[in-house]
Structure formats: structure tokens, C-alpha cells
Amino acid sequence: MMFIIRTTGEAPSAANIAVKLSRKTPAIVTGGEGKTDYFCVAEPDTIEALRGQNVPVVAVHDGYYEDGKGGGVGIWGQGKFWEIRDTPFTVKEAVGATAPATNAPQGDSEQVNVRGAIFGV
């Protein structure tokens, strides 16, 4: 599960937390001046333990978080799935659903010409 630790301190260094990316906290964030966002991955119980220790944990939402260097983090599933990107089009590292759903209906494999279906060409 991905989350952000927003702090003026150093990057988290616990064995059960992996820091995947850091960025300067965006100016639009209230009280974010001089802080750094560390995009971290850990198990949900570790995240709750950090909150209990008053670590500044910020939940992530589906979307794209720019890193200020041309890349960023794409997140969906409320932090369960994510991609670290060097550029908006280049995936450096990813965690996501890779297998088809086991209860997916088995339809025919006919390909559809989407352009023809929509535009008639």
C-alpha cells in the first residue's frame, strides 16, 4: 500500500517501509513550505502504527503526483496499485493487477474496429 510521509526530517528508514520516490511538497499544500513528500510502500498495519506514533502520514488518492523532475507517481485503487514514472510515458517500477479476474465472463475474442464503430471509417 502506498502512502506519503510529509516531513521536514529525513527519509523514513525502517526495514518495513520502502521509500519509492521523494519530491518537494507542492506550494499549494497548506503548511507544506520546506517539507518533503516521501512516497512510501508498507503494509496497512505498519501505516496505522506510524499514525499511532504521530508520524505525518498522508493518504494517497487515485491520480498522478508529479515529482517536479519530469516524472511522478500514478496511483489507483487508493494506494493499492501504483507506478513510478521517469517521464509521464515511461514506467520505471509498478505494482498492479497483472492477472485477469477469475470471475470474468468468457466472451468471444472478436476484435472490434473502434474507429469504424464510432466514426464509420
Side-chain angles (χ1 to χ4, degrees):
M1 186 72 102
M2 184 165 280
F3 61 100
I4 297 171
I5 294 180
R6 180 171 289 148
T7 182
T8 55
E10 294 184 19
S13 60
N16 55 351
I17 300 171
V19 177
K20 296 296 181 177
L21 185 100
S22 66
R23 71 173 184 183
K24 181 180 169 186
T25 301
I28 194 168
V29 174
T30 303
E33 187 175 323
K35 293 185 178 179
T36 302
D37 291 348
Y38 295 100
F39 289 83
C40 303
V41 175
E43 294 297 322
D45 57 336
T46 300
I47 298 169
E48 289 307 314
L50 290 168
R51 286 187 174 122
Q53 298 168 8
N54 294 320
V55 174
V57 173
V58 179
V60 294
H61 302 283
D62 294 358
Y64 187 73
Y65 297 77
E66 293 183 10
D67 66 1
K69 302 171 199 159
V73 181
I75 296 179
W76 65 102
Q78 303 304 324
K80 187 174 180 182
F81 308 115
W82 49 267
E83 296 175 340
I84 304 296
R85 294 177 167 258
D86 291 335
T87 71
F89 305 107
T90 308
V91 176
K92 179 179 175 183
E93 182 180 359
V95 171
T98 57
T102 56
N103 60 354
Q106 298 297 324
D108 60 33
S109 62
E110 180 182 336
Q111 292 183 343
V112 176
N113 177 350
V114 175
R115 179 179 282 173
I118 296 173
F119 301 108
V121 286

